[in-house]
Amino acid sequence: MPSPKERIQEIDVMLSHGMILEWKKRRELVREKRRLIAYIKTLTGILNENPYLDASVGCGYQNFQDFACGRQFYVDKTHFIAEWLKSIAKVTLITRPRRFGKTIMLSTVENFLDPRFTGHPEYFDRLKVWKDEKIKKYYGKIPVASVTFGNCKGRDYRQAIQGMTDSLAILYEAHRYLLHSTKLDEYEKNEYRYILDGLRKGEEANVGTAISRLCRLLYRHYDVKPMILIDEYDTPLQEAYTDGYWDDMIGTCRQLFHGTLKENPYYDRAIVTGVTKITRNSLFSDLNNVEVNTVTCEAYSDCFGFTEKEVMDALKCQNMDSLQEVKAMYDGFIFGKRKDIYNPWSICNYLRHGELLSYWTNTSSNKLIGDIIRKYPVRSKYEIEQLMTGKTVHKKINENVAFQYLDGSENSLWSLLLAVGYIKADHVKKYGEITECDVSVTNREVMEMFRYEILAMFENGNEIYSSFIQALLSHNVEELEEILMDISYTSMSYFDVGKRPGQA
């Protein structure tokens, strides 16, 4: 399909042979040319505001430099840098569902602030952050210690810790120039070598203090306190919960965050991102300097995910006229009071492939959600079935996710579903830690995943029912007892009992 400019060129060629064209055909071509010129004028206005919407669309890239200067399709979210730098929070915790641009945002912040990346102002000079003269002055002036814990996964604690030490080793490798610093003495350089060597070997001893000690070395080198960026902070704990080593991992993570964000005088500010807001009693019990921004908070509500205007502009710049179809499939996320937020992963895949498929819900396993739904009380299952019919359920939710109590806390089910983006919260009212809201399934893409999980839940029940009938017909008393015991453990709950003795 030709671009608008190419089509105008084709029309001009046809009009140049106007004598052989019928009058009606010539008039149609002139009208089309006018429409295309107006369309191009509209695109010019869009690209002045968001300059890289017409670039080739890639998927899976997470480094800002992969997008810089129009290398790939990029939605300008750099106003986040200005908003964050102008805030007063020492530690900012931002939770958003997966694939909502958290990693690329931290990469963008790092590329803007860190002196290692100076010399390329052209990466930013067309973006929103460059238009703010006060914030522009920070370009390349503040060192950054940036680490992701997305690879801290494993079947057991030892494997997960290996992922954590690998991530910290990558952080240290990024600042190898410290070994040549004229401001560090030999003792400090040996300290750097010692910690890096231990992290490479997978030694756990320095995990808790690795970031804080690097901050001190950066401060000595630059004479400026660094920023700390931590991505996917909750991945190690999610993995620990699902694979059964929670107690070991929570102790290590508590020590790490305490040493990094509490007992560390050598950093300026920090951003921590993840999917869930882990309860303070688990992880941040002794931190009083954390500003939390969940999906129901107003701050940074348009900085993660694509707004409807951004999606509309992107479709125009990619020469695609399908907003209504895209809206029906992918619209629905709500951050703070801002509605009509779209998942970037789904939109980018659609722009790339042109097919309305479930891209986002296929990016990771939904086993945890399915397992939790199957374990929860009949009342919760009924409410989830209501959601499947497109209805809204009124809930009071504590957005803290207590992973250690997921098997027994009804609130944890709803807070987790909200955090991961499977339900959205509307008409939100907050009372301290409690969020009162109307929840519904986020959009059609999520509905397809949800229905699959619900069907699996009932299929699981049918399998147990069939086994029970077979055991009953064969008079196998021992197997009957085992099946009834399994049903009691996995299905019954204190929510299922009557209000008075003998009441069904």
Side-chain angles (χ1 to χ4, degrees), residues 104-312:
I104 181 61
M105 180 63 79
L106 294 191
S107 176
T108 304
V109 173
E110 182 182 21
N111 274 265
F112 182 79
L113 294 177
D114 200 294
R116 290 175 294 150
F117 304 111
T118 54
H120 292 286
E122 70 275 11
Y123 289 175
F124 292 96
D125 63 6
R126 297 181 64 192
L127 302 179
K128 295 173 184 176
V129 68
W130 209 253
K131 299 173 184 177
D132 190 320
E133 292 298 327
K134 291 183 179 179
I135 301 301
K136 181 180 174 180
K137 295 177 182 177
Y138 289 102
Y139 174 69
K141 297 295 177 60
I142 306 175
V144 174
S146 180
V147 64
T148 176
F149 291 132
N151 293 324
C152 302
K153 303 176 181 180
R155 292 171 296 180
D156 54 33
Y157 177 69
R158 185 67 258 163
Q159 284 188 351
I161 285 297
Q162 182 64 60
M164 187 172 289
T165 56
D166 287 347
S167 295
L168 291 170
I170 291 172
L171 167 61
Y172 267 69
E173 288 282 5
H175 297 278
R176 176 173 280 277
Y177 60 87
L178 291 173
L179 291 174
H180 307 289
S181 172
T182 59
K183 295 185 178 180
L184 300 185
D185 59 32
E186 200 58 34
Y187 174 84
E188 290 167 324
K189 293 178 182 179
N190 285 335
E191 179 185 17
Y192 173 93
R193 293 187 186 97
Y194 171 77
I195 298 174
L196 177 57
D197 185 59
L199 292 173
R200 284 172 171 171
K201 294 177 181 178
E203 296 176 359
E204 185 181 344
N206 292 317
V207 165
T209 59
I211 298 177
S212 60
R213 292 164 82 175
L214 179 62
C215 286
R216 184 173 63 82
L217 297 177
L218 290 172
Y219 175 67
R220 290 273 292 118
H221 177 73
Y222 288 105
D223 199 27
V224 176
K225 290 183 179 181
M227 303 292 193
I228 297 175
L229 308 179
I230 301 176
D231 192 25
E232 298 197 54
Y233 88 103
D234 54 341
T235 294
L237 292 170
Q238 289 189 38
E239 294 294 316
Y241 170 77
T242 56
D243 290 314
Y245 51 91
W246 170 270
D247 290 339
D248 291 328
M249 183 55 75
I250 188 60
T252 298
C253 288
R254 189 182 291 119
Q255 180 187 23
L256 170 65
F257 286 103
H258 178 86
T260 300
L261 304 175
K262 180 71 173 179
E263 302 297 329
N264 178 11
Y266 295 103
Y267 81 102
D268 185 1
R269 298 171 61 191
I271 303 175
V272 181
T273 66
V275 173
T276 55
K277 176 190 173 186
I278 296 176
T279 177
R280 288 179 62 90
N281 292 336
S282 294
L283 193 59
F284 300 124
S285 57
D286 58 350
L287 294 179
N288 56 7
N289 57 354
V290 181
E291 180 182 278
V292 179
N293 292 279
T294 66
V295 295
T296 62
C297 296
E298 191 63 23
Y300 313 120
S301 60
D302 66 339
C303 297
F304 300 86
F306 296 164
T307 65
E308 185 156 288
K309 182 181 185 304
E310 289 165 344
V311 172
M312 186 186 308

Side-chain angles (χ1 to χ4, degrees), residues 46-47 50-59 61 63-64 66-76 104 306 310-318 320 343-349 351-352:
I46 292 172
L47 294 174
N50 220 324
Y52 304 125
L53 296 185
D54 60 344
S56 298
V57 181
C59 295
Y61 296 91
N63 190 315
F64 172 75
D66 292 326
F67 301 90
C69 291
R71 290 190 180 101
Q72 291 191 57
F73 172 87
Y74 178 75
V75 176
D76 184 2
I104 181 61
F306 296 164
E310 289 165 344
V311 172
M312 186 186 308
D313 290 346
L315 290 170
K316 290 178 181 177
C317 291
Q318 294 292 323
M320 302 175 77
N343 173 263
W345 179 257
S346 296
I347 296 301
C348 287
N349 272 278
L351 293 176
R352 183 176 177 84

Side-chain angles (χ1 to χ4, degrees), residues 382-398:
Y382 172 75
E383 289 174 328
I384 291 173
E385 290 171 1
Q386 292 292 100
L387 296 179
M388 295 304 95
T389 65
K391 295 181 179 179
T392 297
V393 177
H394 189 75
K395 299 297 296 182
K396 292 182 179 179
I397 301 173
N398 186 328

